[in-house]
Amino acid sequence: MKREDIDNLIVYLLAIANYAKDVHYNCSGPNFYGNHLFADTFVKDIYKHIDDLKEICLLGHGLQPLDAADYLQDVITVIPKGVYDFRIMRDLMLETLTILNKHNNASIDDADLLGNIGKNIRHKVGLINIMFGDARN
């Protein structure tokens, strides 16, 4: 996987974590509490994934991770402002999966990490699909 793909993946993971908190703090209505807690599940593993990407896929290959400010500048362009919806969360995760699927030339250890991240994200996409009745029988 190319350096720019790893950096872009980190940006999208940060976007998911930050947008999940936006959803978390802006839930309302009869399903408030459940949605409030559900939004937190999207943040749970994200920072561990980011740490692993930086240590294994960048530092492990002799590449220095970007400064946080550089990643966050790009995150701002990815996160929608003023709209808080799990469907948008799903769109962010599907875009992340698209980036992950570019890892056809990754080393075996990198591919294992990327596969685990992808599995975690796909699981959460499935939960949103169920939430909105988008899961097919």
Side-chain angles (χ1 to χ4, degrees), residues 6-7 18 32 40 54 64 69 71-72 81 96 99-100 103 109 128 136:
I6 297 294
D7 288 335
N18 284 278
F32 157 75
D40 268 348
K54 288 179 177 182
Q64 187 67 31
Y71 288 116
L72 293 173
K81 187 174 171 119
T96 304
I99 296 165
L100 275 165
H103 76 281
D109 47 335
I128 293 175
R136 298 181 192 108

Coordinates of all heavy atoms in Angstrom, one line a residue, residues 6-7 18 32 40 54 64 69 71-72 81 96 99-100 103 109 128 136:
I6 N -2.0 5.1 3.1 CA -2.0 4.9 4.6 C -2.4 6.2 5.2 O -3.2 6.3 6.2 CB -0.6 4.5 5.1 CG1 -0.2 3.1 4.5 CG2 -0.5 4.5 6.6 CD1 -1.0 2.0 5.0
D7 N -1.8 7.3 4.8 CA -2.1 8.6 5.3 C -3.6 8.9 5.1 O -4.3 9.4 6.0 CB -1.3 9.8 4.7 CG 0.2 9.7 5.2 OD1 0.4 9.2 6.3 OD2 1.0 10.2 4.4
N18 N -14.2 11.3 14.9 CA -14.7 12.6 15.2 C -16.2 12.8 14.8 O -17.0 13.4 15.6 CB -13.8 13.7 14.6 CG -12.6 13.9 15.3 OD1 -12.5 14.5 16.3 ND2 -11.5 13.2 14.9
F32 N -32.9 8.4 21.7 CA -31.8 9.2 22.1 C -30.7 8.3 22.7 O -29.6 8.3 22.3 CB -32.1 10.3 23.0 CG -31.0 10.8 23.8 CD1 -30.0 11.5 23.3 CD2 -30.9 10.4 25.2 CE1 -28.9 11.9 24.0 CE2 -29.8 10.8 25.9 CZ -28.8 11.6 25.4
D40 N -21.0 5.8 20.2 CA -19.7 5.6 20.9 C -19.0 4.3 20.4 O -17.8 4.2 20.5 CB -19.9 5.5 22.4 CG -19.7 6.9 23.0 OD1 -19.2 7.8 22.3 OD2 -20.0 7.0 24.2
K54 N 0.4 3.7 12.1 CA 1.6 4.5 12.2 C 2.8 3.7 12.6 O 3.9 3.9 12.0 CB 1.4 5.7 13.2 CG 0.4 6.7 12.7 CD 0.2 7.8 13.7 CE -0.7 8.9 13.2 NZ -0.9 10.0 14.2
Q64 N 8.2 8.3 8.5 CA 7.7 9.1 9.6 C 6.3 9.5 9.4 O 5.9 10.0 8.4 CB 8.6 10.3 9.8 CG 8.3 11.1 11.0 CD 8.7 10.4 12.3 OE1 9.6 9.6 12.3 NE2 8.0 10.7 13.3
A69 N -1.4 17.9 13.1 CA -2.1 19.0 12.4 C -2.3 18.7 10.9 O -3.3 19.1 10.3 CB -1.2 20.3 12.6
Y71 N -2.7 15.7 9.5 CA -3.8 14.8 9.3 C -5.2 15.5 9.6 O -6.1 15.4 8.8 CB -3.7 13.6 10.3 CG -2.7 12.6 10.0 CD1 -1.6 12.4 10.8 CD2 -2.7 11.9 8.8 CE1 -0.6 11.5 10.5 CE2 -1.7 10.9 8.5 CZ -0.7 10.8 9.3 OH 0.3 9.9 9.0
L72 N -5.2 16.3 10.6 CA -6.5 17.0 11.0 C -6.9 18.0 10.0 O -8.1 18.2 9.8 CB -6.3 17.6 12.4 CG -6.2 16.6 13.5 CD1 -5.9 17.3 14.8 CD2 -7.4 15.7 13.6
K81 N -20.5 19.1 8.0 CA -20.7 20.0 9.1 C -22.2 20.3 9.3 O -22.9 20.5 8.3 CB -20.0 21.4 8.9 CG -20.1 22.3 10.0 CD -19.3 23.5 9.7 CE -19.5 24.6 10.8 NZ -18.4 25.0 11.6
T96 N -13.8 4.5 3.6 CA -12.6 3.9 4.3 C -12.3 2.5 3.8 O -11.2 2.1 3.5 CB -12.8 3.9 5.8 OG1 -13.1 5.2 6.2 CG2 -11.6 3.4 6.5
I99 N -10.6 2.6 0.4 CA -9.2 2.9 0.6 C -8.5 1.6 1.0 O -7.4 1.3 0.5 CB -8.9 4.0 1.6 CG1 -9.5 5.3 1.1 CG2 -7.5 4.2 2.0 CD1 -9.7 6.4 2.2
L100 N -9.1 0.9 2.0 CA -8.4 -0.3 2.5 C -8.3 -1.4 1.3 O -7.3 -2.1 1.3 CB -9.3 -1.0 3.6 CG -9.0 -0.4 5.0 CD1 -10.2 -0.8 5.9 CD2 -7.7 -0.9 5.5
H103 N -5.0 -2.3 -0.9 CA -3.8 -2.9 -0.3 C -3.3 -4.1 -1.0 O -2.6 -5.0 -0.4 CB -4.0 -3.1 1.2 CG -4.8 -4.3 1.5 ND1 -6.2 -4.3 1.4 CD2 -4.5 -5.6 1.9 CE1 -6.6 -5.5 1.8 NE2 -5.6 -6.3 2.1
D109 N 2.3 -8.8 6.8 CA 1.9 -8.2 8.1 C 1.1 -7.0 8.0 O 0.1 -6.8 8.7 CB 3.2 -8.0 9.0 CG 4.3 -7.2 8.2 OD1 4.3 -7.3 7.0 OD2 5.1 -6.6 8.8
I128 N -25.3 -0.7 11.0 CA -26.1 0.5 10.5 C -27.1 0.0 9.5 O -28.2 0.4 9.5 CB -25.1 1.6 9.9 CG1 -24.3 2.2 11.0 CG2 -26.0 2.6 9.2 CD1 -23.3 3.2 10.6
R136 N -30.4 -7.2 3.8 CA -31.3 -8.1 3.0 C -31.3 -9.5 3.5 O -30.3 -10.0 4.0 CB -30.8 -8.1 1.5 CG -30.9 -6.8 0.9 CD -30.4 -6.8 -0.6 NE -30.2 -5.5 -1.1 CZ -29.0 -5.0 -1.3 NH1 -27.9 -5.7 -1.1 NH2 -28.9 -3.7 -1.7

